[in-house]
């Protein structure tokens, strides 16, 4: 517990206060300058809404972290990557840019943390009989992890308060682990987590249904990138049994949703990157849940999976992975079955 509880409280409080006081001004400027998100066939909101809430989160997170945290063990490079992603996300929220340009900037940010901060997964810790990775495999797999988690958070940002609530749960879980087990090498990542929580809570005050502001790509890319680094460092900390599988469980909802929709799109012969309404929150809305109930359901689901992987760590990586896989398959079948039943009822009517 090298990171003082008082510094964590100060970090959290600073980020929260900066964000909660910044959002109203951002909303006002967005309406004055007509920087508003237009409803379309894929979105759930029905009115013009500002999507620059990520600016407030970024201000709270960055200022708190640079004031209260130690910027060693890759945190400095994490901040550099966050700054780059912030500006590309902001540009996309203002004028829209191509997916290729966003990917190029994600590649740059990922390169900074991997090559300059040496943040990477170095071992599978026995999964599929694989231990330490070669340098090339380590960099390649870490790249996939960072890009995958970053975009998973971006993709799940489809309902008022959904992405923010899931980010709170994930960051909170990682933050507690780093505080309890981080030691001198990783305890400063608890500050990273709690600064993110503070900034997110300040933003969520205005983002729950009916939201007056969205986080936009500015916020979702930033949150996804930070969570990916927290996940990697959690795995590398190696003080938690079966840490790779535990990390997958902590990130369950966004990773499950992204994997599922990509699989469905590929099976239908479509590009996995073309948006649709197959996300898990769309399915729950189709079952008759409202936005608030859907957010609560997915939050409870993520917490339940976290409790499972934390409680059953003695099963080891293989046992936990099998449990997560079987649950994912069962959940996918349930969601697909309900869609089929709904279509049959419509055709009969």
């Amino acid at each position: 517990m090298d990171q003082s509880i008082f510094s964590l409280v100060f970090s959290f409080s600073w980020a929260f206060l900066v964000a909660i006081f910044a959002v109203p001004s951002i909303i006002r400027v967005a309406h004055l300058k007509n920087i508003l998100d237009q409803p379309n066939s894929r979105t759930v909101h029905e009115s013009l809404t500002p999507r620059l809430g990520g600016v407030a989160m970024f201000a709270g997170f960055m200022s708190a972290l640079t004031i209260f945290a130690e910027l060693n063990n890759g945190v400095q490079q994490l901040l550099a990557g966050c700054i780059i992603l912030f500006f590309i996300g902001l540009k996309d929220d203002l004028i829209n840019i191509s997916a290729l340009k966003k990917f190029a900037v994600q590649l740059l940010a990922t390169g900074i943390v991997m090559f300059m901060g040496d943040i990477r997964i170095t071992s599978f810790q026995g999964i599929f009989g694989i231990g330490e990775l070669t340098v090339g495999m380590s960099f390649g797999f870490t790249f996939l992890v960072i890009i995958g988690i970053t975009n998973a958070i971006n993709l799940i940002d489809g309902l008022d308060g959904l992405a923010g609530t899931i980010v709170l749960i994930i960051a909170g879980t990682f933050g507690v682990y780093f505080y309890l087990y981080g030691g001198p090498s990783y305890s400063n990542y608890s500050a990273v987590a709690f600064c993110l929580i503070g900034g997110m809570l300040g933003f969520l005050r205005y983002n729950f249904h009916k939201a007056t502001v969205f986080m936009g790509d500015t916020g979702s890319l930033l949150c996804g990138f930070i969570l990916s680094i927290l996940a990697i460092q959690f795995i590398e900390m190696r003080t938690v049994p079966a840490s790779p599988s535990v990390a997958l469980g902590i990130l369950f909802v966004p990773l499950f949703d992204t994997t599922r929709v990509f699989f469905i799109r590929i099976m239908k012969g479509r590009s996995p990157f073309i948006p649709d309404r197959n996300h898990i929150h769309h399915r729950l809305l189709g079952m008759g849940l409202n936005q608030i109930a859907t957010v609560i359901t997915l939050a409870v689901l993520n917490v339940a999976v976290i409790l499972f992987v934390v409680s059953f760590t003695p099963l080891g990586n293989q046992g936990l992975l099998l449990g997560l896989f079987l649950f994912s398959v069962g959940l996918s079948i349930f969601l697909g079955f309900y869609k089929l039943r709904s279509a049959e009822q419509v055709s009969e009517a």
Side-chain angles (χ1 to χ4, degrees):
M1 299 186 187
D2 286 34
Q3 188 74 38
S4 164
I5 188 66
F6 296 107
S7 69
L8 293 180
V9 171
F10 286 135
S11 300
F12 164 84
S13 302
W14 182 283
F16 172 78
L17 291 172
V18 168
I20 201 168
F21 283 115
V23 171
S25 297
I26 291 169
I27 294 173
R28 186 162 57 250
V29 170
H31 279 285
L32 286 173
K33 300 298 183 181
N34 198 32
I35 309 171
L36 305 170
D37 191 57
Q38 301 273 356
N40 57 51
S41 59
R42 291 183 295 99
T43 58
V44 178
H45 68 285
E46 299 173 351
S47 58
L48 295 171
T49 308
R51 55 178 181 177
L52 295 176
V55 174
M57 291 163 43
F58 175 79
F61 171 79
M62 290 291 291
S63 58
L65 196 61
T66 52
I67 292 171
F68 297 104
E70 296 180 9
L71 305 182
N72 55 8
N73 194 29
V75 174
Q76 184 179 21
Q77 289 75 21
L78 167 63
L79 292 179
C82 287
I83 292 171
I84 294 171
L85 287 175
F86 168 77
F87 281 106
I88 197 65
L90 180 62
K91 184 176 181 180
D92 187 53
D93 288 334
L94 292 174
I95 61 174
N96 289 325
I97 60 173
S98 68
L100 184 60
K101 289 182 179 178
K102 281 196 289 186
F103 178 76
V105 175
Q106 289 179 42
L107 183 61
L108 176 60
T110 301
I112 290 173
V113 295
M114 285 199 307
F115 294 104
M116 301 180 70
D118 198 31
I119 296 174
R120 55 192 176 91
I121 295 174
T122 58
S123 172
F124 276 9
Q125 300 180 30
I127 296 178
F128 308 125
I130 302 173
E132 297 297 315
L133 300 175
T134 63
V135 174
M137 286 183 63
S138 174
F139 280 116
F141 185 71
T142 302
F143 167 76
L144 293 176
V145 168
I146 295 175
I147 296 297
I149 296 175
T150 299
N151 287 284
I153 299 300
N154 181 258
L155 290 172
I156 205 171
D157 183 26
L159 290 184
D160 295 348
L162 176 56
T165 301
I166 297 300
V167 168
L168 282 181
I169 293 169
I170 295 171
T173 306
F174 282 136
V176 170
Y177 268 117
F178 283 121
Y179 175 70
L180 293 176
Y181 306 113
S185 298
Y186 293 96
S187 63
N188 58 336
Y189 280 93
S190 61
V192 174
F194 280 92
C195 288
L196 178 59
I197 293 169
M200 180 58 73
L201 274 177
F203 160 75
L204 277 178
R205 159 67 178 79
Y206 304 92
N207 183 242
F208 275 113
H209 189 66
K210 292 183 175 181
T212 54
V213 66
F214 299 147
M215 68 170 67
D217 275 14
T218 310
S220 61
L221 291 176
L222 184 72
C223 290
F225 183 70
I226 295 168
L227 292 183
S228 71
I229 303 306
L230 291 177
I232 291 169
Q233 296 296 62
F234 171 80
I235 293 170
E236 285 300 297
M237 191 167 60
R238 302 194 189 189
T239 56
V240 178
S243 57
S245 300
V246 173
L248 285 175
I250 294 171
L251 290 156
F252 179 78
V253 166
L255 293 184
F256 166 78
D257 182 59
T258 301
T259 303
R260 178 181 163 274
V261 294
F262 273 31
F263 179 78
I264 291 173
R265 292 169 188 172
I266 292 171
M267 291 298 292
K268 291 183 176 180
R270 301 204 308 261
S271 167
F273 303 104
I274 296 178
D276 55 30
R277 290 178 64 88
N278 270 318
H279 289 280
I280 188 171
H281 52 271
H282 292 134
R283 286 283 170 269
L284 294 178
L285 290 172
M287 293 178 187
L289 298 181
N290 59 30
Q291 288 203 43
I292 295 175
T294 299
V295 172
I296 292 173
T297 299
L298 291 176
V300 170
L301 174 64
N302 211 121
V303 171
V305 175
I306 290 172
L307 291 175
F308 165 75
V309 295
V310 170
S311 301
F312 292 94
T313 50
L315 292 175
N317 280 309
Q318 311 287 16
L320 290 180
L321 281 178
L322 179 60
L324 291 172
F325 174 75
L326 292 176
F327 179 68
S328 299
V329 171
L331 183 57
S332 297
I333 292 173
F334 169 75
L335 294 172
F337 175 76
Y338 187 86
K339 181 185 178 183
L340 180 62
R341 292 283 296 175
S342 299
E344 288 175 352
Q345 291 169 3
V346 170
S347 63
E348 290 172 0

